[in-house]
Amino acid sequence: HPFNLTPSALYAIDQFAIRGGGVLAFLDTIAEHDARSATTPTNPQNADSTLGPLMAAWGLKMDSKRVAGDITMAIKIRGRAGSQVVVADYPPWMIVDRDNLNPDDVVTGQLTLMRVATSAAIEHIDSSLTVMTPLIQTTASSMLFDQAAVLRRDDPTQLTAAYAPSGAQLVLAARVTG
């Protein structure tokens, strides 16, 4: 969860990668396990993270204010809808099965199931010279939610009531080379 990295830290990461070092970056749209905010204790103090200018330099883009969700992969949760307790599909929390894991990559090839919570979507910049290989993806029934709507933690049925599938698979994790 790299947040507020200094220009010198970003430079050091980039130089390490340029020299052939492997970088494993976990970037968050909502870092659910970050320290709690003093003003809003239900929310993380530093909700999102990016690698700033390194993303574009490496041929990637990611909107850290948008959360990927997939209704067909949604985990059922218990939440409150006013005074009622409801059980609802919660698209930002997903169970990813074998169909959405890259079977040809050493990182995901042996996996059969995993849980992913409040992930961003990663896109490759077409003009980039890097190669992006998707490792974990949603189905075409996915969409992006505003980070603020997910952070509100209101009635969970509100997220599904306004659900509009994008028709495109979103990349949640990728290998980037080049």
Side-chain angles (χ1 to χ4, degrees):
H1 173 47
F3 60 91
N4 299 333
L5 292 177
T6 65
S8 60
L10 290 168
Y11 178 77
I13 293 168
D14 193 37
Q15 290 303 299
F16 178 77
I18 287 171
R19 288 191 305 273
V23 176
L24 184 61
F26 292 92
L27 307 176
D28 287 296
T29 53
I30 300 177
E32 296 187 35
H33 297 291
D34 192 48
R36 301 287 101 191
S37 167
T39 56
T40 312
T42 58
N43 292 342
Q45 184 174 346
N46 300 290
D48 55 359
S49 56
T50 72
L51 288 175
L54 293 185
M55 297 291 287
W58 294 349
L60 304 172
K61 58 184 174 179
M62 179 192 96
D63 186 344
S64 64
K65 300 297 184 194
R66 307 277 287 176
V67 179
D70 192 314
I71 196 74
T72 62
M73 301 165 83
I75 293 174
K76 286 199 181 298
I77 65 160
R78 185 183 316 220
R80 291 215 166 264
S83 62
Q84 291 185 327
V85 174
V86 296
V87 174
D89 288 329
Y90 193 66
W93 291 354
M94 299 171 273
I95 296 177
V96 182
D97 64 19
R98 188 119 186 90
D99 293 338
N100 298 89
L101 298 166
N102 184 335
D104 300 322
D105 194 276
V106 68
V107 173
T108 51
Q110 304 263 333
L111 298 175
T112 56
L113 190 75
M114 71 183 308
R115 292 175 187 239
V116 176
T118 55
S119 176
I122 306 163
E123 294 179 63
H124 189 253
I125 298 170
D126 291 336
S127 61
S128 172
L129 299 178
T130 59
V131 174
M132 183 179 96
T133 304
L135 299 177
I136 304 170
Q137 298 182 85
T138 65
T139 70
S141 295
S142 63
M143 73 171 281
L144 292 170
F145 293 96
D146 287 330
Q147 178 196 53
V150 177
L151 280 171
R152 273 196 302 272
R153 302 190 192 279
D154 293 334
D155 173 357
T157 62
Q158 290 177 347
L159 290 180
T160 55
Y163 201 86
S166 67
Q169 286 186 288
L170 301 174
V171 177
L172 306 179
R175 177 184 300 281
V176 180
T177 55

